[in-house]
Amino acid sequence: MAILRIKEQEVSYSYLYIVVSYIVIKYLLEQFINLRQLDQLSVKQMPIHIEQTLGITQKQFKRSQRFYYDKLSFEMYTKSIKTAMEIIVILCGVMPFIWERTVTFFKMDPNSEFQRGLAYIFVEFLRLKLIDVPNNFYNTHVIEKRYDLSQISFALQFSDLVIESALWVVFVPILLYSYLYVAELGGDYFFIAMQFFVLIMAIVSSLVYPNYIQPLFNEFEELKETQLKQAISQLAFRMNFPLEKILVMDGSKRSDHSNAYFFGMYSKRIVLYDTLINNLTNEEIVAVVAHELGHWKYRHPYIKLVFFCIKILITFYIFGFYRDSDVVFLSFGFNEKSIFIGSALFFSLFEPMNTLFQIFELHLSRFFEYQADMFANRHGLGSYLMSGLIKLFKQNSTNLMVDPIYQWYYNSHPSLFERLKYLNKLR
């Protein structure tokens, strides 16, 4: 759909007010949930069941409580600023103002949706970075360093920002042009075309990111021939896991957090953070890897991909009822309509449905974590996984006191105590 001029007409501004009302309601709901979690993080004395289950000290418990209290308090503060700015942007007509000025300020072709869309994204990118960059630096260099959880330097974080911006300059124009082309080419059945487009992009990104983009931020080297490598290789062989390489990533140059994951379409590569190797025994590392292989065995990545495709299909099918509606554009102050602006407006209107999708996805993710834990336990590694999780808690100051509503709304993983309780039941 090219850029079309909309005839002036009387219009209800209900769509704008629907979006603003939802933003306010969501903000109040999330702040209420966050306050409930702050109450949990205000507990000073470690509950006896946590002490008996984890065997951690009162000092470690207090450190975890203080860290997450400071972190969540700052998140609530930044959320308030972002929400206020978002409402101001919508009510003051900043979006249509930027769209109209792309022609005069950037000297863009008024009939080029791609050029004007790219300029619009650039302005929005700068606006969001003005908020996000200071917040990220404060969170990293003040809060996390206060608890010795961040190792990244100002220079390295600035370097990351430069690389991210450069990648944005390279990939955003390609993605935007492809999106507009496919959306217009699809015609009345564009939602099917968009389904294939998004699926192809997801597959391409799964190949490009770990092989070409992630190495721009971290160094990877193959795990040396050790007992650990032999144990992981034997585990993968027993499970028929198509292992190609075991890589070690230098995660310690940014933080003390530990993790393990795998990637690859056919032959797979397992990645271990160096912090994981430095802090866990070989048996505990193998148990953590077994958990990750459990995700593969139960086809969790493929199930998530199917869910993602269904969500995309529903999203763009509903979008088809709005993309040509003059009322939607006019209610937000636009006197022109295009696929690009229509998409931006629709995703604001679609946010309530998207929130429901996210809640379901989080519930599914927590279920998958339990399945992966069960898989590791079936291979005789349950006790090692438990001791490894406890060590990771001590290293990462994992949140222990989690409000059930906060858990349901935000967390993709069960809490440490819930996972240990579950593994104990399986033994």
Side-chain angles (χ1 to χ4, degrees):
M1 180 177 68
I3 297 176
L4 302 175
R5 198 75 182 175
I6 303 175
K7 294 180 180 179
E8 292 187 9
Q9 55 183 285
E10 291 292 329
V11 60
S12 168
Y13 286 83
S14 58
Y15 286 112
L16 182 148
Y17 293 134
I18 287 173
V19 171
V20 172
S21 298
Y22 177 74
I23 291 172
V24 173
I25 292 171
K26 184 181 180 183
Y27 167 77
L28 294 175
L29 174 63
E30 290 181 348
Q31 295 297 70
F32 169 73
I33 294 174
N34 291 337
L35 286 172
R36 287 178 58 95
Q37 178 61 14
L38 283 182
D39 285 341
Q40 292 289 322
L41 297 173
S42 299
V43 175
K44 304 295 184 183
Q45 186 63 36
M46 179 169 53
I48 188 65
H49 66 276
I50 292 181
E51 182 178 5
Q52 292 174 344
T53 303
L54 305 185
I56 62 175
T57 65
Q58 180 69 24
K59 182 179 179 180
Q60 290 168 332
F61 175 77
K62 286 184 176 180
R63 178 174 180 265
S64 171
Q65 290 288 90
R66 288 196 303 267
F67 169 65
Y68 278 98
Y69 188 96
D70 292 348
K71 194 174 181 68
L72 182 56
S73 298
F74 183 65
E75 287 176 3
M76 293 174 67
Y77 167 74
T78 56
K79 178 68 175 178
S80 299
I81 294 176
K82 287 184 177 181
T83 302
M85 289 193 66
E86 189 176 5
I87 293 173
I88 291 171
V89 164
I90 294 174
L91 293 180
C92 294
V94 175
M95 296 166 66
F97 176 83
I98 295 174
W99 177 252
E100 291 171 5
R101 294 305 182 277
T102 56
V103 176
T104 56
F105 187 78
F106 291 97
K107 308 299 181 184
M108 297 292 183
D109 179 357
N111 297 313
S112 173
E113 186 176 15
F114 170 70
Q115 291 183 22
R116 295 178 66 182
L118 194 60
Y120 182 94
I121 292 175
F122 174 73
V123 174
E124 282 294 290
F125 175 82
L126 290 179
R127 181 179 71 84
L128 293 175
K129 284 298 180 182
L130 287 174
I131 302 174
D132 290 339
V133 170
N135 289 343
N136 290 337
F137 271 78
Y138 181 86
N139 184 67
T140 301
H141 295 282
V142 177
I143 297 178
E144 292 199 359
K145 287 201 172 183
R146 183 185 300 160
Y147 297 92
D148 298 323
L149 293 173
S150 175
Q151 305 300 329
I152 192 170
S153 64
F154 277 102
L156 182 56
Q157 191 166 8
F158 181 76
S159 174
D160 288 348
L161 180 61
V162 172
I163 294 173
E164 289 170 5
S165 300
L167 291 170
W168 182 91
V169 171
V170 172
F171 287 106
V172 168
I174 297 172
L175 293 172
L176 176 62
Y177 184 85
S178 302
Y179 172 77
L180 295 175
Y181 178 79
V182 172
E184 184 138 11
L185 186 67
D188 293 337
Y189 297 96
F190 88 102
F191 60 93
I192 297 177
M194 291 308 305
Q195 174 72 80
F196 284 103
F197 169 73
V198 173
L199 181 59
I200 291 171
M201 288 298 102
I203 294 173
V204 170
S205 64
S206 69
L207 295 173
V208 172
Y209 181 80
N211 290 295
Y212 301 103
I213 296 179
Q214 185 67 31
L216 296 175
F217 298 93
N218 293 96
E219 293 182 5
F220 295 82
E221 61 178 22
E222 192 165 356
L223 182 64
K224 296 177 181 178
E225 294 294 337
T226 58
Q227 290 183 346
L228 175 61
K229 184 175 182 178
Q230 185 179 7
I232 295 175
S233 299
Q234 290 175 350
L235 177 69
F237 179 77
R238 291 199 306 269
M239 298 179 182
N240 295 319
F241 181 78
L243 178 63
E244 179 187 356
K245 289 182 180 180
I246 305 172
L247 303 174
V248 179
M249 189 184 84
D250 61 338
S252 58
K253 72 178 183 180
R254 284 180 170 78
S255 75
D256 288 335
H257 295 288
S258 300
N259 200 3
Y261 64 92
F262 65 86
F263 68 90
M265 291 292 292
Y266 300 106
S267 59
K268 309 290 186 182
R269 299 182 182 187
I270 293 175
V271 177
L272 307 174
Y273 281 41
D274 57 354
T275 48
L276 191 75
I277 295 175
N278 295 335
N279 291 281
L280 271 63
T281 66
N282 286 354
E283 294 81 5
E284 290 165 346
I285 295 171
V286 172
V288 171
V289 172
H291 169 92
E292 295 303 319
L293 297 190
H295 288 303
W296 168 79
K297 193 68 174 181
Y298 287 112
R299 302 184 182 276
H300 294 162
Y302 301 105
I303 296 173
K304 287 184 177 181
L305 180 61
V306 170
F307 174 76
F308 175 72
C309 290
I310 293 172
K311 182 172 70 171
I312 291 298
L313 186 64
I314 293 173
T315 301
F316 282 102
Y317 179 76
I318 298 175
F319 177 42
F321 295 99
Y322 288 90
R323 68 173 185 161
D324 296 324
S325 172
D326 292 352
V327 175
V328 172
F329 292 89
L330 289 171
S331 66
F332 283 90
F334 289 93
N335 52 24
E336 293 175 328
K337 63 180 182 179
S338 68
I339 291 174
F340 174 79
I341 292 299
S343 300
L345 298 180
F346 170 73
F347 283 110
S348 296
L349 291 168
F350 192 73
E351 185 59 27
M353 182 67 75
N354 189 52
T355 300
L356 295 178
F357 278 131
Q358 289 175 352
I359 292 173
F360 175 78
E361 196 168 4
L362 289 172
H363 176 79
L364 189 65
S365 178
R366 292 192 294 269
F367 174 73
F368 286 166
E369 291 302 315
Y370 283 128
Q371 275 196 322
D373 284 348
M374 178 178 64
F375 181 81
N377 183 75
R378 283 180 176 175
H379 285 79
L381 297 166
S383 59
Y384 291 120
L385 181 59
M386 291 174 66
S387 61
L389 289 172
I390 293 173
K391 285 183 180 179
L392 292 177
F393 156 76
K394 295 176 181 178
Q395 178 186 355
N396 301 337
S397 269
T398 305
N399 189 5
L400 285 175
M401 302 292 291
V402 185
D403 179 79
I405 297 179
Y406 184 92
Q407 168 88 352
W408 175 80
Y409 188 81
Y410 283 114
N411 289 354
S412 61
H413 286 57
S415 68
L416 172 63
F417 179 72
E418 289 172 328
R419 292 180 68 180
L420 294 177
K421 185 178 179 181
Y422 177 73
L423 284 166
N424 264 320
K425 286 182 178 179
L426 296 176
R427 296 173 64 185

